[in-house]
């Protein structure tokens, strides 16, 4: 028999593959037929590779299929015998791991199916996260199945790639969702938070995001969203208790509705809409958005117009060196901007926006 092609593995190849039963691809295999072989080999792997009895085990490049939860050979039972698990460069063709006993760390793993995030204890690592440099090929989600919120205590993602949707509903986050190093640009297809509470800071910078959608959610700490490129940004009925900073972010479609901002909000050097004048669907809209502190729009471009006719402002906003497309902006918007310059006695800008208002 030939030996598995995976480095350091000494098991025989499986059924015509170049790898053993642990390392061979599982997407084309009938798991009902291979489940006994996989279970027994995984059991032997743990016995031969665990450290300090069953305290710690590193799984390297193992391909995990759907667990057989209805039988005695559910491989989650093997995982539950361990105290600490490091998944290193592993592949998952399952949507979940039915195991909550050990401490987990997923490093450089690829998740080929929709993945359900569970409240796991984190194995100690440099960035203190559950998932590091992982790739999620399909949806990532977590929802509460009860009346109360599902609690996630751990820091989740460091420099991960998301090919599809991230969706969290009715979840309470007690640690940051993202702990990125900002040394590379990341991609997120779409990000949804619905009816969630974020106790700790939310920091997501230098990402390319097609859709960022927040509804009925509370941010109790800082919201940092800098140097991102977002095709569509939608915020509904959401409260921000601390500083909001979106420095140098490029927004395509932008809409904030019925949301409250308690602290400083910064949109400095941001751009909204599209420079090529695609039409009024790209107007940046602040509809019944309430700002209880200072809001900064300095050095910002509203390429496709601005609508703040129904905004609620406690303090005069800063529109210094801001450009607003006149074609798709309404009269009340220019009156509010004119008034903000009038309060700081910048009469050159007052006259400019008064002319826009009259036009």
């Amino acid at each position: 028999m030939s030996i598995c092609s995976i480095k350091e593995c000494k098991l025989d190849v499986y059924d015509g593959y170049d790898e053993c039963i642990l390392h061979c691809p599982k997407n084309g295999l009938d798991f009902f037929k291979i489940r006994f072989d996989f279970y027994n080999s995984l059991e032997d792997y743990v016995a031969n590779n665990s450290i300090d009895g069953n305290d710690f085990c590193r799984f390297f490049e193992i391909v995990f299929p759907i667990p057989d939860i209805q039988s005695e050979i559910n491989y989650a039972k093997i995982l539950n015998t361990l105290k600490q698990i490091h998944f290193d460069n592993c592949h998952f063709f399952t949507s979940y791991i039915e195991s909550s006993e050990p401490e987990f760390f997923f490093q450089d793993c690829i998740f080929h199916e929709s993945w359900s995030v569970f409240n796991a204890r984190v194995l100690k690592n440099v960035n203190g996260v559950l998932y590091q440099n992982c790739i999620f090929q399909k949806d990532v989600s977590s929802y509460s199945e009860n009346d109360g919120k599902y609690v996630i205590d751990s820091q989740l993602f460091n420099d991960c790639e998301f090919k599809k949707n991230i969706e969290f509903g009715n979840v309470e986050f007690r640690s940051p969702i993202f702990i990125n190093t900002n040394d590379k640009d990341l991609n997120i297809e779409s990000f949804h938070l619905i009816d969630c509470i974020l106790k700790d800071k939310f920091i997501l910078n230098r990402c390319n995001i097609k859709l960022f959608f927040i509804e009925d959610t509370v941010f109790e700490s800082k919201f940092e969203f800098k140097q991102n490129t977002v095709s569509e940004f939608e915020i509904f009925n959401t409260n921000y208790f601390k500083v909001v900073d979106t420095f140098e972010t490029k927004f395509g479609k932008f809409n904030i509705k019925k949301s409250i901002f308690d602290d400083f909000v910064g949109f400095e050097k941001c751009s909204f809409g599209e420079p090529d004048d695609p039409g009024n669907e790209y107007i940046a809209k602040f509809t019944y958005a309430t700002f209880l502190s200072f809001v900064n729009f300095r050095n910002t471009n509203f390429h496709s117009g601005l609508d703040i006719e129904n905004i609620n402002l406690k303090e005069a906003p800063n529109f210094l060196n801001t450009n607003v497309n006149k074609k798709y902006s309404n009269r009340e918007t220019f009156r509010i901007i004119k008034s903000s310059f009038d309060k700081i006695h910048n009469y050159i800008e007052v006259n400019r926006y008064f002319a826009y208002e009259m036009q």
Side-chain angles (χ1 to χ4, degrees), residues 206-256:
R206 291 186 61 182
C207 282
N208 298 306
I209 308 169
K210 287 189 177 180
L211 173 63
F212 190 85
F213 181 91
I214 312 292
E215 184 173 13
D216 298 330
T217 292
V218 175
F219 292 87
E220 294 187 358
S221 192
K222 181 181 181 180
F223 180 91
E224 184 176 306
F225 195 78
K226 299 191 297 187
Q227 297 177 315
N228 294 313
T229 299
V230 191
S231 298
E232 187 170 355
F233 186 87
E234 304 277 350
I235 307 292
F236 298 104
N237 196 37
T238 291
N239 292 348
Y240 297 81
F241 289 155
K242 299 296 182 181
V243 170
V244 173
D245 186 1
T246 67
F247 181 75
E248 286 189 344
T249 288
K250 297 178 180 178
F251 299 98
K253 294 182 180 178
F254 180 95
N255 187 18
I256 293 180

Side-chain angles (χ1 to χ4, degrees), residues 59-74:
F59 295 96
F60 180 67
E61 293 195 9
I62 292 180
V63 181
F64 289 90
I66 299 172
D68 191 5
I69 61 175
Q70 301 298 328
S71 76
E72 292 298 318
I73 55 170
N74 178 6

Side-chain angles (χ1 to χ4, degrees), residues 8 45 49-50 56-60 84-88:
E8 299 179 2
Y45 184 95
N49 292 277
S50 59
F56 171 83
C57 188
R58 171 177 170 262
F59 295 96
F60 180 67
Q84 298 177 324
I85 297 176
H86 179 192
F87 294 109
D88 187 357

Side-chain angles (χ1 to χ4, degrees), residues 13 27 67 73 97 113 163 170 191 195 219 248-249 314 331:
V13 298
N27 54 326
I73 55 170
I97 291 182
E113 302 297 329
K163 304 297 186 181
N170 203 21
F191 181 82
D195 196 22
F219 292 87
E248 286 189 344
T249 288
K314 188 173 182 180
R331 181 176 182 176

Side-chain angles (χ1 to χ4, degrees), residues 77-92:
K77 294 180 180 180
I78 299 174
L79 301 180
N80 278 326
T81 64
L82 296 162
K83 293 183 179 179
Q84 298 177 324
I85 297 176
H86 179 192
F87 294 109
D88 187 357
N89 280 273
C90 291
H91 291 252
F92 294 88

Side-chain angles (χ1 to χ4, degrees), residues 265-282:
V265 179
F267 292 103
E268 185 161 357
K269 292 189 177 181
C270 290
S271 69
F272 296 80
E274 296 291 336
D276 296 330
D277 191 20
N280 60 7
E281 63 178 317
Y282 281 84

Side-chain angles (χ1 to χ4, degrees), residues 166-179:
I166 306 173
E167 298 182 356
F168 294 110
N170 203 21
V171 176
E172 180 179 305
F173 297 93
R174 295 181 178 175
S175 297
I177 298 173
F178 301 100
I179 303 290

